[in-house]
């Protein structure tokens, strides 16, 4: 019957989705057994007609089994725990073009061999490495040597298992590495002592391997040389470099070439999908390639006799699009698009004319067969929902619209309007924000980028001056987008709604977009309301909640009362284009719908202030306080008031009190700030006490990086230190958490914010021992992820890593 194939395809999607929900993988023989059961069911369905009614179940079991077998086989190559933190001598080939950063290089190495103390060891086949700038050359850090794709290197490295931050509504870095095939991360170890012990970094040879990556790197470097300002004018050079980054991204797929400020503009105007190799670019390239190939093919009678021109154009367009996707880095969106195009092309070449839902299901199934974990990516849902809605709303539209240029504009307007209606709820569900000017921006940006900028950028590979023309076009478009981004309410952010409300909103948006009578479409409006009006629950009056974000080696704690919000510290800064504010805190605040009342920076160290600029930019109403000197760069963004012992305020019945530093301590630290004295900056950390009302209050104590001298001073001054929850001083350093201080605080729970296998060794084992001796529960961010603690239930801590655990996520030993 006609329904069996769609049912089987839907079953494949269901089986994949269910397998991706597993917290831990079964043993490989178990998946082999379910695979045998699925194959037996398929054989019975082929031989016995009545079994064909179970086609969906057989397909689901088959997808479940194959996905589990692939995952188990991949996980078998994971890095052995005992090799973490060891100095390994590895030999391998650079598998992708290296990424330059202000801190050094980021490269991907395909390993050929590895040695530990001269003995061979087994390590993952693919690893991501950082090669940091170090030493001093004329007062500046000396950069690593030039590294090119395809080169064979011998390096001393230290590795660790893939480990990323786990925060509510946050990016799953471990899933991203899993999809990339990377099972270890680390850094290159080199110094005079280490080079004498293990040998220096050695470039062994340039190989023929990874030729596409070698070509991509040559093209990327050529674009940078062509678009560099020969006069060296800083203003013009900055504008040219930013345009060059967009051109580089469109040609090679290197999205890191686009500066962070430009990404902010592109997101605010809803055109970010155009500024990297997306499905739209691949589809357009296939269409242009097919049109040109078909026209050329028809000029040869011999070729037309050998193969009809439409067939040659269709097959050639898909193959050339696959080549473009390969050259652009073979990213997941490009892979999805090539699979979809190949499915449609094969159906047309075979003469089949399937209904669009069946074509759509087949494309989904093929994409998930190639990459099951794509189902967890927002791009998968955005692209397939958009295609489904456009298919569903296209009935009769082609014959009804005008012809010529007016007709093409009408089609673009209709498709953009339909996509906006259908995808806005989905975008809010996935990202918590949507561009209010996106419809207008895309009406200009889509034809300009796809028909002008991208062709010029690609043709620049053949004739370099065209890159300059593409850059001029990018600069012109940027002027318009920057203007649109300054409009009031250009970008709308709403709290991320729960799944049920999001699904209802997506259904409502789709119903509004379908070509149905308006009386029927209007039924979609009530479905939108739960997601649009959703507000996350807040603590009751007189209570507060504390969320210690997982920011790596740094500190950031969100404190919420019934109607107020405070952020204590803003996490670390990794490099110029990445900090905890941009990566973690801004998305977290947006997803929770928070409006900060106060940002308190305990002291000036970059692991506490690194994300502050991004947070202040997103929260213009927030006041700033902390122990930062008058000349600190953040003072130019928002004047900061010093935190001084004795400051008190009350929010919703919850008492806030600053216990440290004393009035003169901050001034003394500011006078030595030019020397960057770590001891002085730590000593002036703001110590904040938060307490509920009543005779037996629930208390949290946030202490920054105070050390033993400040701990003793607080105890000697009879400060009210007793607390249910303590933010462990200085990330668990040996210089803090003295016995005297812990006896005074007597916390039930201690939170440690420190990066996984950080270079400082935080938290120190002897410090953890002092907490264990006092039977204090220690919660580490590396093991827990983001930790949530509430004054209403002071004995409980919710760990983000324990919620929704999946098998690709890092499991730390107890």
């Amino acid at each position: 019957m006609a329904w069996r194939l769609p049912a089987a395809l839907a079953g494949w999607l269901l089986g994949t989705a269910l397998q991706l929900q597993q917290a831990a993988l079964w043993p490989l023989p178990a998946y082999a057994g379910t695979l045998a059961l699925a194959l037996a069911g398929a054989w019975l369905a082929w031989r016995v007609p009545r079994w064909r009614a179970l086609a969906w179940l057989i397909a689901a079991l088959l997808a479940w089994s194959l996905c589990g077998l692939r995952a188990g086989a991949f996980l078998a190559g994971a890095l052995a725990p005992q090799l973490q933190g060891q100095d390994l001598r590895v030999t391998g080939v650079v598998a992708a073009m290296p990424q330059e950063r202000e801190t050094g290089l980021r490269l991907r190495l395909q390993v050929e061999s590895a040695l530990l103390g001269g003995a061979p060891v087994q390590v993952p086949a693919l690893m991501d490495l950082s090669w940091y700038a170090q030493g001093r050359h004329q007062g500046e850090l000396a950069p690593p040597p030039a590294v090119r794709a395809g080169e064979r290197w011998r390096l001393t490295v230290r590795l660790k298992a893939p480990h990323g931050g786990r925060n509510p509504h946050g990016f799953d870095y471990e899933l991203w590495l899993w999809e990339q095939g990377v099972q270890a991360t680390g850094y290159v170890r080199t110094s005079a002592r280490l080079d004498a012990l293990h040998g220096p970094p050695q470039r062994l040879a340039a190989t023929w391997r990874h030729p596409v990556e070698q070509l991509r790197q040559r093209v990327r470097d050529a674009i940078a040389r062509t678009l560099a300002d020969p006069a060296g004018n800083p203003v013009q050079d900055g504008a040219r470099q930013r345009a060059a980054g967009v051109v580089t991204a469109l040609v090679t797929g290197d999205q890191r070439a686009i500066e962070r400020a430009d990404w902010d503009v592109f997101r605010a105007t809803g055109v970010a999908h155009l500024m990297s190799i997306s499905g739209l670019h691949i589809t357009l390239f296939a269409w242009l390639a097919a049109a040109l190939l078909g026209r050329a093919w028809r000029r040869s009678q011999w070729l037309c006799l050998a193969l009809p021109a439409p067939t040659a154009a269709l097959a050639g367009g898909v193959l050339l699009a696959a080549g473009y996707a390969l050259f652009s880095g073979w990213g997941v969106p490009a892979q999805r698009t090539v699979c979809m195009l190949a499915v449609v092309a094969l159906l047309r070449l075979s003469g089949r004319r399937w209904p669009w839902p069946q074509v759509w299901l087949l494309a989904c199934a093929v994409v998930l067969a190639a990459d099951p974990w794509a189902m967890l990516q927002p791009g998968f849902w955005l692209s397939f929902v958009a295609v489904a809605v456009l298919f569903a709303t296209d009935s009769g539209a082609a014959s009804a619209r005008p012809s010529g240029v007016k007709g093409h504009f009408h089609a673009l307007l209709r498709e953009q309007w339909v996509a906006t209606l259908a995808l806005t709820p989905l975008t809010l569900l996935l990202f918590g924000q949507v561009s209010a000017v996106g419809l207008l921006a895309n009406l200009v940006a889509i034809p300009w980028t796809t028909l002008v900028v991208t062709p010029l950028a690609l043709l620049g590979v053949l004739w370099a001056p065209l890159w300059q023309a593409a850059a001029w076009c990018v600069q012109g478009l940027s002027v318009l987008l920057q203007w649109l981004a300054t409009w009031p309410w250009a970008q709308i952010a709403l709290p991320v709604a729960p799944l049920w409300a999001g699904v209802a909103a997506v259904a409502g948006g789709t119903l509004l977009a379908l070509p149905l009578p308006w009386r029927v479409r209007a039924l979609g409006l009530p479905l939108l309301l739960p997601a649009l009006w959703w507000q996350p629950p807040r603590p009751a009056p007189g209570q507060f909640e504390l969320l210690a974000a997982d920011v790596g080696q740094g500190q950031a704690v969100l404190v919420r009362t019934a109607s107020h919000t405070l952020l204590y510290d803003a996490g670390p800064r990794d490099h110029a284009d990445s900090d905890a504010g941009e990566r973690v805190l801004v998305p977290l605040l947006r997803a929770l719908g928070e409006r900060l009342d106060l940002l308190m920076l305990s002291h000036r160290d970059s692991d506490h202030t690194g994300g502050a600029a991004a947070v202040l930019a997103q929260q213009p109403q927030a006041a700033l306080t902390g122990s930062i000197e008058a000349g600190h760069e953040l003072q130019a963004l928002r004047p900061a008031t010093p935190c001084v012992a004795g400051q008190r305020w009350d929010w919703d019945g919850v008492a806030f009190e600053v216990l440290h530093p004393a009035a003169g301590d901050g001034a003394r630290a500011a006078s030595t700030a030019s020397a960057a004295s770590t001891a002085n900056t730590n000593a002036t950390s703001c110590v904040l006490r938060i307490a509920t009302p009543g005779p037996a209050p629930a208390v949290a104590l946030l202490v920054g990086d105070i050390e033993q001298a400040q701990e003793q001073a607080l105890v000697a001054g009879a400060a009210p230190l007793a607390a249910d929850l303590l933010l462990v001083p200085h990330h668990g350093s040996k210089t803090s958490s003295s016995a005297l201080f812990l006896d005074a605080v007597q916390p039930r729970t201690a939170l440690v914010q420190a990066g996984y296998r950080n270079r400082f060794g935080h938290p120190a084992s002897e410090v953890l021992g002092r907490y264990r001796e006092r039977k204090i529960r220690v919660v580490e961010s590396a093991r827990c992820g983001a930790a949530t603690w509430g004054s209403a239930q002071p004995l409980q801590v919710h760990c983000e890593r324990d919620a929704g655990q999946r098998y690709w996520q890092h499991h730390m030993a107890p």
Side-chain angles (χ1 to χ4, degrees), residues 602-605 626-632 642-643 660-686 710:
S602 64
H603 61 299
R604 70 187 302 272
D605 287 359
S627 289
I628 57 175
E629 68 276 11
H632 196 282
C643 64
H660 182 79
D665 294 346
R668 286 192 294 271
S671 66
T672 60
S674 59
S677 171
T678 301
N680 282 325
T681 57
N682 288 345
T684 59
S685 293
C686 305
Q710 292 77 52

Side-chain angles (χ1 to χ4, degrees), residues 181-255:
V182 175
Q183 290 183 288
T185 62
Y187 61 97
V188 177
R189 299 255 293 164
T190 177
S191 67
R193 181 184 66 83
L194 289 169
D195 293 350
L197 183 62
H198 301 292
Q202 291 178 277
R203 178 186 178 276
L204 302 178
T207 72
W208 57 268
R209 295 168 64 179
H210 307 290
V212 174
E213 289 298 320
Q214 294 184 43
L215 179 59
R216 291 179 69 214
Q217 188 170 359
R218 287 196 292 269
V219 170
R220 184 187 67 179
D221 295 345
I223 293 174
R225 288 193 303 269
T226 301
L227 298 183
D229 184 10
N233 184 303
V235 176
Q236 293 184 5
D237 189 48
R240 292 166 70 100
Q241 284 183 355
R242 294 173 71 170
V246 176
V247 173
T248 301
L250 292 174
V251 177
T252 67
D254 183 11
Q255 297 185 27

Side-chain angles (χ1 to χ4, degrees), residues 406-572:
K406 186 178 180 181
H408 287 297
F409 178 76
H410 180 274
L412 175 64
L413 182 62
R414 186 195 69 85
E415 290 171 2
Q416 191 59 38
W417 171 247
V418 166
T420 300
L421 274 178
L423 295 185
T424 293
L426 181 59
T427 303
L428 285 172
L429 174 65
L430 295 172
F431 303 110
Q433 60 180 347
V434 69
S435 174
V437 298
L439 178 61
L440 177 59
N442 276 283
L443 285 176
V444 177
I446 287 177
W448 186 252
T449 303
T450 55
L451 300 178
V452 179
V453 178
T454 302
L456 286 173
L458 292 175
L459 290 173
V461 176
L462 304 177
W463 192 45
L466 291 177
W467 282 328
Q468 183 61 71
W472 287 334
C473 294
V474 169
Q475 289 175 315
L477 179 63
S478 296
V479 172
L480 172 65
L481 296 178
Q482 288 170 2
W483 176 64
L484 289 174
T486 61
W487 285 19
W489 301 98
Q491 193 174 37
I492 299 173
L494 295 174
V496 174
L499 182 61
W500 66 266
V503 171
V506 172
T510 304
L511 188 60
L512 286 171
L514 291 175
L516 299 171
W518 276 107
R519 290 181 179 178
V520 179
R521 293 194 197 188
L523 297 176
L525 292 174
L527 297 176
L528 299 175
L529 297 181
L532 295 179
W533 284 353
W534 171 258
Q535 290 296 324
R538 300 190 67 90
Q543 302 292 336
F544 69 96
E545 180 185 86
L546 184 149
L547 190 156
D550 189 1
V551 294
Q553 185 60 25
Q555 194 162 277
V557 180
L558 187 68
V559 182
R560 304 165 69 233
T561 67
S563 61
H564 291 85
T565 306
L566 176 146
L567 180 63
Y568 182 88
D569 283 334

